[in-house]
Amino acid sequence: MLAEPPVPHRYGHQHPGDLIQVLDDHSRVAYVQARDDETKETVTEVLRNGVAWFVVRGVTVHRVLGDNGGRYKSHLWRET
Protein backbone atom coordinates (compact mmCIF):
# COMPACT_ATOMS: atom_id res chain seq x y z
CA MET A 1 0.00 0.00 0.00
CA LEU A 2 1.45 3.36 -0.99
CA ALA A 3 1.19 6.32 1.34
CA GLU A 4 -0.77 9.34 0.22
CA PRO A 5 1.34 12.41 -0.59
CA PRO A 6 1.33 15.11 2.11
CA VAL A 7 -1.44 17.68 1.94
CA PRO A 8 -0.23 21.21 1.03
CA HIS A 9 -0.45 23.47 4.06
CA ARG A 10 -1.96 26.94 3.78
CA TYR A 11 1.41 28.51 4.61
CA GLY A 12 3.14 26.76 1.73
CA HIS A 13 4.89 23.88 3.48
CA GLN A 14 3.66 20.29 3.41
CA HIS A 15 1.16 19.14 6.02
CA PRO A 16 1.30 15.38 6.64
CA GLY A 17 -2.22 15.23 8.10
CA ASP A 18 -3.53 14.83 11.62
CA LEU A 19 -3.08 11.89 13.96
CA ILE A 20 -6.26 11.39 15.97
CA GLN A 21 -6.15 8.97 18.88
CA VAL A 22 -8.57 7.14 21.13
CA LEU A 23 -6.74 6.18 24.31
CA ASP A 24 -7.68 3.66 27.00
CA ASP A 25 -6.94 5.56 30.20
CA HIS A 26 -6.35 2.38 32.21
CA SER A 27 -3.92 0.45 29.96
CA ARG A 28 -2.68 3.43 27.87
CA VAL A 29 -3.26 1.39 24.71
CA ALA A 30 -4.07 3.76 21.85
CA TYR A 31 -6.06 3.45 18.64
CA VAL A 32 -4.69 6.00 16.13
CA GLN A 33 -5.80 7.10 12.68
CA ALA A 34 -4.00 9.48 10.32
CA ARG A 35 -6.58 11.78 8.73
CA ASP A 36 -6.48 14.75 6.36
CA ASP A 37 -8.50 16.99 8.67
CA GLU A 38 -9.81 17.26 12.20
CA THR A 39 -13.44 18.26 11.65
CA LYS A 40 -16.24 17.23 13.98
CA GLU A 41 -17.32 14.60 11.43
CA THR A 42 -13.81 13.16 11.19
CA VAL A 43 -13.12 13.00 14.94
CA THR A 44 -16.55 11.46 15.54
CA GLU A 45 -15.86 8.78 12.92
CA VAL A 46 -12.47 8.05 14.51
CA LEU A 47 -14.19 7.80 17.92
CA ARG A 48 -16.68 5.25 16.56
CA ASN A 49 -13.88 3.27 14.90
CA GLY A 50 -11.75 3.39 18.04
CA VAL A 51 -14.54 2.27 20.35
CA ALA A 52 -15.35 -0.63 17.98
CA TRP A 53 -11.65 -1.57 17.91
CA PHE A 54 -11.50 -1.64 21.72
CA VAL A 55 -14.78 -3.59 22.05
CA VAL A 56 -13.44 -6.34 19.76
CA ARG A 57 -10.51 -6.62 22.18
CA GLY A 58 -12.76 -6.98 25.22
CA VAL A 59 -12.54 -3.41 26.53
CA THR A 60 -15.80 -1.95 27.86
CA VAL A 61 -16.16 1.79 27.33
CA HIS A 62 -17.77 3.52 30.31
CA ARG A 63 -17.21 7.14 29.35
CA VAL A 64 -15.34 9.31 26.89
CA LEU A 65 -13.24 12.36 27.68
CA GLY A 66 -12.43 14.75 24.87
CA ASP A 67 -10.31 17.72 24.05
CA ASN A 68 -11.71 21.22 24.72
CA GLY A 69 -11.74 22.03 20.98
CA GLY A 70 -15.10 22.86 19.43
CA ARG A 71 -15.21 19.65 17.40
CA TYR A 72 -15.06 17.68 20.66
CA LYS A 73 -17.92 19.71 22.14
CA SER A 74 -20.21 19.55 19.10
CA HIS A 75 -23.69 18.02 19.21
CA LEU A 76 -22.48 15.28 16.84
CA TRP A 77 -19.67 14.30 19.26
CA ARG A 78 -21.99 14.42 22.27
CA GLU A 79 -24.65 12.28 20.56
CA THR A 80 -22.05 9.67 19.63
Coordinates of all heavy atoms in Angstrom, one line a residue:
M1 N 0.8 -1.2 0.0 CA 0.0 0.0 0.0 C 0.9 1.2 0.0 O 1.8 1.4 0.8 CB -0.9 0.0 1.2 CG -1.8 1.1 1.3 SD -2.9 0.7 2.8 CE -3.8 2.2 2.8
L2 N 0.7 2.1 -0.9 CA 1.5 3.4 -1.0 C 0.8 4.4 -0.1 O -0.4 4.6 -0.1 CB 1.5 3.8 -2.4 CG 2.2 2.9 -3.4 CD1 2.1 3.4 -4.8 CD2 3.7 2.7 -3.0
A3 N 1.7 5.2 0.5 CA 1.2 6.3 1.3 C 0.7 7.5 0.5 O 1.3 7.7 -0.6 CB 2.3 6.8 2.3
E4 N -0.3 8.2 0.9 CA -0.8 9.3 0.2 C 0.3 10.5 0.3 O 0.9 10.6 1.4 CB -2.1 9.8 0.8 CG -3.2 8.9 0.7 CD -3.7 8.8 -0.7 OE1 -3.8 9.9 -1.4 OE2 -4.1 7.7 -1.2
P5 N 0.4 11.3 -0.7 CA 1.3 12.4 -0.6 C 0.8 13.4 0.5 O -0.4 13.5 0.7 CB 1.3 13.0 -2.0 CG 0.1 12.6 -2.6 CD -0.3 11.2 -2.0
P6 N 1.7 14.1 1.1 CA 1.3 15.1 2.1 C 0.4 16.2 1.5 O 0.5 16.5 0.3 CB 2.6 15.7 2.6 CG 3.7 14.8 2.2 CD 3.2 14.1 0.9
V7 N -0.5 16.6 2.3 CA -1.4 17.7 1.9 C -0.7 19.0 2.0 O -0.1 19.3 3.0 CB -2.7 17.7 2.9 CG1 -3.6 18.8 2.5 CG2 -3.3 16.3 2.9
P8 N -0.9 19.9 0.9 CA -0.2 21.2 1.0 C -0.8 22.0 2.2 O -2.0 22.0 2.4 CB -0.6 21.9 -0.3 CG -1.0 20.7 -1.2 CD -1.5 19.7 -0.3
H9 N 0.0 22.7 2.9 CA -0.5 23.5 4.1 C -0.7 24.9 3.6 O -0.1 25.4 2.6 CB 0.6 23.5 5.1 CG 0.2 24.0 6.4 ND1 0.3 25.4 6.7 CD2 -0.4 23.5 7.5 CE1 -0.2 25.6 7.9 NE2 -0.6 24.4 8.4
R10 N -1.6 25.6 4.2 CA -2.0 26.9 3.8 C -0.8 27.9 3.8 O -0.8 28.9 3.2 CB -3.1 27.5 4.6 CG -2.8 27.7 6.1 CD -4.0 28.3 6.8 NE -3.7 28.3 8.2 CZ -4.5 28.1 9.2 NH1 -5.8 27.9 8.9 NH2 -4.2 28.1 10.4
Y11 N 0.3 27.6 4.6 CA 1.4 28.5 4.6 C 2.5 28.1 3.6 O 3.6 28.6 3.6 CB 2.0 28.6 6.0 CG 1.0 29.1 7.0 CD1 0.6 28.4 8.1 CD2 0.5 30.4 6.9 CE1 -0.3 28.8 9.0 CE2 -0.4 30.9 7.8 CZ -0.8 30.1 8.9 OH -1.7 30.6 9.8
G12 N 2.2 27.1 2.8 CA 3.1 26.8 1.7 C 3.9 25.5 2.0 O 4.4 24.8 1.1
H13 N 4.1 25.1 3.2 CA 4.9 23.9 3.5 C 3.9 22.7 3.5 O 2.7 22.9 3.6 CB 5.7 24.0 4.8 CG 5.0 24.3 6.0 ND1 4.6 25.5 6.4 CD2 4.5 23.5 7.0 CE1 3.9 25.5 7.5 NE2 3.9 24.2 7.9
Q14 N 4.5 21.5 3.4 CA 3.7 20.3 3.4 C 3.1 20.0 4.8 O 3.8 20.1 5.8 CB 4.5 19.1 2.9 CG 5.0 19.3 1.5 CD 3.8 19.3 0.5 OE1 2.9 18.5 0.6 NE2 3.9 20.2 -0.4
H15 N 1.8 19.5 4.8 CA 1.2 19.1 6.0 C 0.9 17.6 5.9 O 0.1 17.2 5.0 CB -0.1 19.9 6.2 CG -0.9 19.6 7.4 ND1 -1.9 18.7 7.5 CD2 -0.7 20.1 8.7 CE1 -2.4 18.6 8.7 NE2 -1.7 19.5 9.5
P16 N 1.5 16.8 6.8 CA 1.3 15.4 6.6 C -0.1 14.9 7.1 O -0.3 13.7 6.9 CB 2.4 14.8 7.6 CG 2.6 15.9 8.6 CD 2.3 17.2 7.9
G17 N -0.9 15.7 7.6 CA -2.2 15.2 8.1 C -2.3 15.3 9.6 O -1.3 15.7 10.3
D18 N -3.3 14.8 10.2 CA -3.5 14.8 11.6 C -3.6 13.4 12.1 O -4.2 12.5 11.5 CB -4.8 15.5 12.0 CG -4.8 17.0 11.6 OD1 -4.0 17.7 12.2 OD2 -5.6 17.4 10.7
L19 N -3.0 13.2 13.3 CA -3.1 11.9 14.0 C -4.1 12.1 15.1 O -4.0 12.9 15.9 CB -1.8 11.5 14.6 CG -0.7 11.1 13.6 CD1 0.6 10.8 14.3 CD2 -1.1 9.9 12.7
I20 N -5.2 11.3 15.0 CA -6.3 11.4 16.0 C -6.3 10.1 16.7 O -6.3 9.0 16.1 CB -7.6 11.6 15.3 CG1 -7.6 12.9 14.4 CG2 -8.7 11.7 16.3 CD1 -8.8 13.1 13.5
Q21 N -6.3 10.2 18.1 CA -6.2 9.0 18.9 C -7.3 8.8 19.8 O -7.9 9.8 20.3 CB -4.9 9.0 19.7 CG -4.8 10.0 20.8 CD -3.5 9.9 21.5 OE1 -2.8 9.0 21.4 NE2 -3.3 10.9 22.4
V22 N -7.6 7.5 20.1 CA -8.6 7.1 21.1 C -7.7 6.3 22.1 O -7.2 5.3 21.7 CB -9.7 6.3 20.5 CG1 -10.7 5.9 21.6 CG2 -10.5 7.1 19.5
L23 N -7.7 6.8 23.3 CA -6.7 6.2 24.3 C -7.5 5.5 25.5 O -8.4 6.2 26.0 CB -5.8 7.3 24.9 CG -4.8 6.9 25.9 CD1 -3.7 6.1 25.3 CD2 -4.2 8.2 26.5
D24 N -7.1 4.3 25.8 CA -7.7 3.7 27.0 C -6.9 4.2 28.2 O -5.7 4.0 28.3 CB -7.5 2.1 26.9 CG -8.0 1.4 28.2 OD1 -8.9 1.9 28.9 OD2 -7.4 0.4 28.5
D25 N -7.6 4.9 29.1 CA -6.9 5.6 30.2 C -6.3 4.6 31.2 O -5.3 4.9 31.8 CB -7.9 6.5 30.9 CG -7.3 7.4 31.9 OD1 -6.2 7.9 31.6 OD2 -7.8 7.6 33.0
H26 N -6.9 3.4 31.3 CA -6.3 2.4 32.2 C -5.1 1.7 31.7 O -4.0 1.7 32.4 CB -7.4 1.3 32.5 CG -6.9 0.2 33.4 ND1 -6.7 0.4 34.7 CD2 -6.6 -1.1 33.1 CE1 -6.3 -0.7 35.3 NE2 -6.2 -1.6 34.3
S27 N -5.1 1.2 30.5 CA -3.9 0.5 30.0 C -3.0 1.3 29.2 O -1.8 0.9 28.9 CB -4.4 -0.7 29.1 OG -5.0 -0.1 27.9
R28 N -3.4 2.5 28.7 CA -2.7 3.4 27.9 C -2.5 2.9 26.5 O -1.6 3.4 25.7 CB -1.3 3.8 28.5 CG -1.4 4.5 29.8 CD -2.1 5.9 29.6 NE -2.0 6.7 30.8 CZ -2.8 7.7 31.1 NH1 -3.7 8.0 30.2 NH2 -2.6 8.4 32.1
V29 N -3.3 1.9 26.1 CA -3.3 1.4 24.7 C -4.0 2.4 23.9 O -5.1 2.9 24.3 CB -3.9 0.0 24.6 CG1 -4.1 -0.4 23.2 CG2 -3.1 -1.0 25.4
A30 N -3.5 2.7 22.7 CA -4.1 3.8 21.9 C -4.5 3.2 20.5 O -3.8 2.4 19.9 CB -3.1 4.9 21.6
Y31 N -5.6 3.7 20.0 CA -6.1 3.5 18.6 C -5.8 4.8 17.9 O -6.2 5.8 18.4 CB -7.5 3.1 18.6 CG -8.1 3.1 17.2 CD1 -8.0 1.9 16.5 CD2 -8.8 4.2 16.7 CE1 -8.6 1.9 15.2 CE2 -9.3 4.1 15.4 CZ -9.2 3.0 14.7 OH -9.7 2.9 13.4
V32 N -5.1 4.8 16.8 CA -4.7 6.0 16.1 C -5.0 5.9 14.7 O -4.8 4.9 14.0 CB -3.2 6.3 16.3 CG1 -2.8 7.6 15.6 CG2 -2.8 6.3 17.8
Q33 N -5.6 7.0 14.1 CA -5.8 7.1 12.7 C -5.2 8.4 12.2 O -5.2 9.4 12.8 CB -7.3 7.2 12.4 CG -8.0 5.8 12.4 CD -9.4 6.0 11.8 OE1 -9.9 7.0 11.3 NE2 -10.1 4.9 11.9
A34 N -4.5 8.3 11.0 CA -4.0 9.5 10.3 C -5.1 10.0 9.4 O -5.6 9.2 8.6 CB -2.8 9.1 9.5
R35 N -5.5 11.2 9.5 CA -6.6 11.8 8.7 C -6.1 13.1 8.1 O -5.2 13.7 8.6 CB -7.8 12.0 9.6 CG -8.3 10.8 10.3 CD -8.7 9.6 9.3 NE -9.9 9.9 8.6 CZ -11.1 9.5 8.9 NH1 -11.3 8.7 10.0 NH2 -12.2 9.8 8.2
D36 N -6.8 13.5 7.1 CA -6.5 14.8 6.4 C -7.0 16.0 7.1 O -6.6 17.1 6.8 CB -7.0 14.7 4.9 CG -6.3 13.7 4.1 OD1 -5.1 13.4 4.3 OD2 -6.9 13.3 3.1
D37 N -7.9 15.8 8.0 CA -8.5 17.0 8.7 C -8.9 16.6 10.1 O -8.8 15.4 10.4 CB -9.7 17.6 7.9 CG -10.8 16.6 7.7 OD1 -11.2 15.9 8.7 OD2 -11.4 16.5 6.6
E38 N -9.4 17.5 10.8 CA -9.8 17.3 12.2 C -11.2 17.9 12.4 O -11.4 18.6 13.4 CB -8.8 17.8 13.2 CG -8.7 17.0 14.5 CD -7.6 17.4 15.4 OE1 -6.7 18.2 15.0 OE2 -7.6 17.0 16.5
T39 N -12.1 17.7 11.5 CA -13.4 18.3 11.6 C -14.3 17.4 12.6 O -13.9 16.3 13.0 CB -14.2 18.3 10.3 OG1 -14.3 16.9 9.9 CG2 -13.4 19.0 9.2
K40 N -15.4 18.0 13.0 CA -16.2 17.2 14.0 C -16.7 15.9 13.4 O -16.8 14.9 14.1 CB -17.4 18.1 14.4 CG -18.4 18.4 13.3 CD -19.5 19.3 13.9 CE -20.4 19.8 12.7 NZ -21.4 20.8 13.1
E41 N -16.9 15.8 12.1 CA -17.3 14.6 11.4 C -16.2 13.6 11.5 O -16.4 12.4 11.7 CB -17.8 14.9 10.0 CG -19.0 15.7 9.8 CD -18.8 17.2 10.0 OE1 -17.7 17.7 9.9 OE2 -19.9 17.9 10.1
T42 N -15.0 14.1 11.2 CA -13.8 13.2 11.2 C -13.5 12.6 12.6 O -13.3 11.4 12.8 CB -12.6 13.9 10.6 OG1 -12.8 14.3 9.3 CG2 -11.4 13.0 10.6
V43 N -13.5 13.5 13.6 CA -13.1 13.0 14.9 C -14.2 12.1 15.5 O -13.9 11.1 16.2 CB -12.8 14.1 15.9 CG1 -11.6 14.9 15.4 CG2 -14.0 15.1 16.2
T44 N -15.5 12.3 15.1 CA -16.5 11.5 15.5 C -16.4 10.1 14.9 O -16.6 9.1 15.5 CB -17.9 12.1 15.2 OG1 -18.0 13.4 15.9 CG2 -19.1 11.2 15.7
E45 N -16.1 10.1 13.6 CA -15.9 8.8 12.9 C -14.7 8.0 13.5 O -14.8 6.8 13.8 CB -15.6 9.0 11.4 CG -15.4 7.7 10.7 CD -15.1 8.0 9.2 OE1 -15.2 9.1 8.7 OE2 -14.9 7.0 8.5
V46 N -13.6 8.7 13.9 CA -12.5 8.0 14.5 C -12.9 7.5 15.9 O -12.5 6.4 16.3 CB -11.3 9.0 14.6 CG1 -10.1 8.4 15.4 CG2 -10.8 9.4 13.2
L47 N -13.7 8.3 16.6 CA -14.2 7.8 17.9 C -15.0 6.5 17.8 O -14.7 5.5 18.5 CB -15.1 8.9 18.6 CG -15.8 8.4 19.9 CD1 -14.7 8.0 21.0 CD2 -16.7 9.5 20.4
R48 N -15.9 6.5 16.8 CA -16.7 5.3 16.6 C -15.8 4.1 16.2 O -15.9 3.0 16.7 CB -17.7 5.5 15.4 CG -18.8 6.3 15.8 CD -19.9 6.3 14.7 NE -20.9 7.3 15.0 CZ -21.1 8.4 14.2 NH1 -20.4 8.6 13.1 NH2 -22.0 9.3 14.5
N49 N -14.8 4.3 15.3 CA -13.9 3.3 14.9 C -13.0 2.8 16.1 O -12.8 1.6 16.2 CB -13.0 3.8 13.8 CG -13.7 4.1 12.5 OD1 -14.8 3.6 12.3 ND2 -13.1 4.8 11.6
G50 N -12.6 3.7 16.9 CA -11.7 3.4 18.0 C -12.5 2.6 19.1 O -12.0 1.6 19.6
V51 N -13.7 3.0 19.4 CA -14.5 2.3 20.3 C -14.8 0.9 19.8 O -14.7 -0.1 20.6 CB -15.9 3.0 20.6 CG1 -16.8 2.1 21.4 CG2 -15.6 4.3 21.4
A52 N -15.1 0.7 18.6 CA -15.4 -0.6 18.0 C -14.1 -1.5 18.1 O -14.2 -2.7 18.4 CB -15.8 -0.5 16.5
W53 N -12.9 -0.9 17.8 CA -11.6 -1.6 17.9 C -11.4 -2.1 19.3 O -11.0 -3.2 19.5 CB -10.5 -0.6 17.5 CG -9.2 -1.2 17.4 CD1 -8.7 -1.9 16.3 CD2 -8.1 -1.2 18.3 NE1 -7.4 -2.3 16.6 CE2 -7.0 -1.9 17.8 CE3 -8.0 -0.6 19.6 CZ2 -5.8 -2.0 18.5 CZ3 -6.9 -0.8 20.3 CH2 -5.8 -1.5 19.8
F54 N -11.7 -1.2 20.3 CA -11.5 -1.6 21.7 C -12.5 -2.7 22.1 O -12.2 -3.7 22.8 CB -11.6 -0.4 22.7 CG -10.4 0.4 22.8 CD1 -10.3 1.6 22.2 CD2 -9.2 -0.1 23.4 CE1 -9.1 2.4 22.3 CE2 -8.1 0.6 23.5 CZ -8.0 1.9 23.0
V55 N -13.7 -2.6 21.7 CA -14.8 -3.6 22.0 C -14.4 -5.0 21.5 O -14.5 -6.0 22.2 CB -16.2 -3.1 21.5 CG1 -17.2 -4.3 21.6 CG2 -16.7 -1.9 22.3
V56 N -13.9 -5.1 20.3 CA -13.4 -6.3 19.8 C -12.4 -7.0 20.6 O -12.3 -8.2 20.7 CB -12.9 -6.1 18.3 CG1 -12.2 -7.4 17.8 CG2 -14.1 -5.8 17.4
R57 N -11.6 -6.1 21.3 CA -10.5 -6.6 22.2 C -10.9 -6.8 23.6 O -10.1 -7.0 24.5 CB -9.3 -5.7 22.1 CG -8.6 -5.9 20.7 CD -7.9 -4.7 20.2 NE -7.3 -5.0 18.9 CZ -8.0 -5.0 17.8 NH1 -9.3 -4.7 17.8 NH2 -7.4 -5.3 16.6
G58 N -12.2 -6.7 23.9 CA -12.8 -7.0 25.2 C -12.8 -5.8 26.2 O -13.0 -6.0 27.4
V59 N -12.5 -4.6 25.7 CA -12.5 -3.4 26.5 C -14.0 -2.8 26.5 O -14.5 -2.6 25.5 CB -11.5 -2.4 26.0 CG1 -11.6 -1.1 26.9 CG2 -10.1 -2.9 26.0
T60 N -14.5 -2.6 27.7 CA -15.8 -2.0 27.9 C -15.6 -0.5 28.1 O -14.8 0.0 28.9 CB -16.5 -2.5 29.1 OG1 -16.6 -3.9 28.9 CG2 -17.9 -1.9 29.2
V61 N -16.3 0.3 27.2 CA -16.2 1.8 27.3 C -17.2 2.3 28.3 O -18.4 2.1 28.0 CB -16.3 2.4 25.9 CG1 -16.2 3.9 26.0 CG2 -15.2 1.9 25.0
H62 N -16.8 3.0 29.3 CA -17.8 3.5 30.3 C -18.0 5.0 30.1 O -19.2 5.5 30.3 CB -17.2 3.3 31.7 CG -17.2 1.9 32.2 ND1 -18.3 1.2 32.5 CD2 -16.1 1.1 32.2 CE1 -17.9 0.0 32.8 NE2 -16.6 -0.1 32.7
R63 N -17.0 5.7 29.6 CA -17.2 7.1 29.4 C -16.1 7.6 28.4 O -15.1 6.9 28.3 CB -17.2 8.0 30.6 CG -15.9 8.0 31.4 CD -16.0 8.8 32.6 NE -14.8 8.6 33.4 CZ -14.6 8.9 34.6 NH1 -15.6 9.5 35.3 NH2 -13.5 8.7 35.2
V64 N -16.3 8.8 27.8 CA -15.3 9.3 26.9 C -15.0 10.7 27.3 O -15.9 11.5 27.6 CB -15.9 9.3 25.5 CG1 -15.0 10.0 24.5 CG2 -16.2 7.9 25.0
L65 N -13.7 11.0 27.4 CA -13.2 12.4 27.7 C -12.7 12.9 26.4 O -12.0 12.2 25.7 CB -12.2 12.3 28.8 CG -12.6 11.7 30.1 CD1 -11.3 11.6 31.0 CD2 -13.7 12.5 30.7
G66 N -12.9 14.2 26.1 CA -12.4 14.7 24.9 C -11.6 16.0 25.1 O -11.6 16.5 26.2
D67 N -11.0 16.5 24.1 CA -10.3 17.7 24.1 C -11.3 18.9 24.3 O -12.5 18.7 24.1 CB -9.6 17.8 22.7 CG -8.6 19.0 22.6 OD1 -9.0 20.1 22.8 OD2 -7.5 18.7 22.2
N68 N -10.8 20.1 24.6 CA -11.7 21.2 24.7 C -12.0 21.9 23.4 O -12.8 22.9 23.4 CB -11.1 22.2 25.7 CG -11.4 21.9 27.1 OD1 -12.3 21.2 27.4 ND2 -10.5 22.4 28.0
G69 N -11.5 21.4 22.3 CA -11.7 22.0 21.0 C -13.2 21.9 20.6 O -13.9 21.0 21.0
G70 N -13.7 22.8 19.8 CA -15.1 22.9 19.4 C -15.6 21.6 18.8 O -16.8 21.2 19.1
R71 N -14.8 20.9 18.0 CA -15.2 19.7 17.4 C -15.5 18.6 18.4 O -16.3 17.7 18.2 CB -14.2 19.2 16.4 CG -12.8 18.9 16.9 CD -11.8 18.9 15.9 NE -10.5 19.2 16.4 CZ -9.9 20.4 16.6 NH1 -10.6 21.5 16.2 NH2 -8.7 20.5 17.1
Y72 N -14.9 18.7 19.6 CA -15.1 17.7 20.7 C -16.2 18.1 21.6 O -16.5 17.4 22.6 CB -13.8 17.5 21.5 CG -12.7 16.9 20.6 CD1 -11.7 17.7 20.1 CD2 -12.6 15.5 20.3 CE1 -10.6 17.2 19.3 CE2 -11.6 15.0 19.5 CZ -10.6 15.8 19.0 OH -9.6 15.3 18.2
K73 N -16.8 19.2 21.3 CA -17.9 19.7 22.1 C -19.2 19.8 21.3 O -20.2 20.3 21.8 CB -17.6 21.1 22.8 CG -16.5 21.0 23.8 CD -15.9 22.2 24.3 CE -16.1 23.4 24.6 NZ -15.5 24.4 25.2
S74 N -19.1 19.4 20.0 CA -20.2 19.5 19.1 C -21.4 18.6 19.5 O -21.2 17.6 20.2 CB -19.8 19.2 17.7 OG -19.5 17.8 17.6
H75 N -22.5 18.9 19.0 CA -23.7 18.0 19.2 C -23.4 16.6 18.6 O -23.8 15.6 19.3 CB -24.9 18.6 18.6 CG -25.4 19.9 19.3 ND1 -26.0 19.9 20.5 CD2 -25.4 21.2 18.9 CE1 -26.3 21.1 20.9 NE2 -25.9 21.9 19.9
L76 N -22.8 16.6 17.5 CA -22.5 15.3 16.8 C -21.6 14.4 17.8 O -21.9 13.2 18.0 CB -21.8 15.5 15.5 CG -21.4 14.3 14.7 CD1 -22.6 13.5 14.3 CD2 -20.6 14.7 13.4
W77 N -20.6 15.0 18.3 CA -19.7 14.3 19.3 C -20.4 13.8 20.5 O -20.4 12.7 20.9 CB -18.5 15.2 19.7 CG -17.6 14.6 20.7 CD1 -17.7 14.8 22.0 CD2 -16.4 13.8 20.5 NE1 -16.7 14.1 22.7 CE2 -15.9 13.5 21.7 CE3 -15.8 13.3 19.3 CZ2 -14.7 12.7 21.9 CZ3 -14.7 12.6 19.5 CH2 -14.1 12.3 20.7
R78 N -21.2 14.7 21.1 CA -22.0 14.4 22.3 C -23.0 13.3 22.0 O -23.2 12.4 22.9 CB -22.7 15.7 22.7 CG -22.6 15.9 24.2 CD -23.3 17.2 24.6 NE -23.7 18.1 23.5 CZ -23.4 19.4 23.5 NH1 -22.8 19.9 24.5 NH2 -23.8 20.1 22.5
E79 N -23.6 13.3 20.9 CA -24.6 12.3 20.6 C -24.0 10.9 20.3 O -24.7 9.9 20.4 CB -25.5 12.7 19.3 CG -26.4 13.9 19.6 CD -26.9 14.6 18.4 OE1 -26.7 14.0 17.3 OE2 -27.6 15.6 18.5
T80 N -22.7 10.9 19.9 CA -22.0 9.7 19.6 C -21.7 9.0 20.9 O -21.8 7.8 21.1 CB -20.8 9.9 18.8 OG1 -21.1 10.6 17.6 CG2 -20.0 8.7 18.5

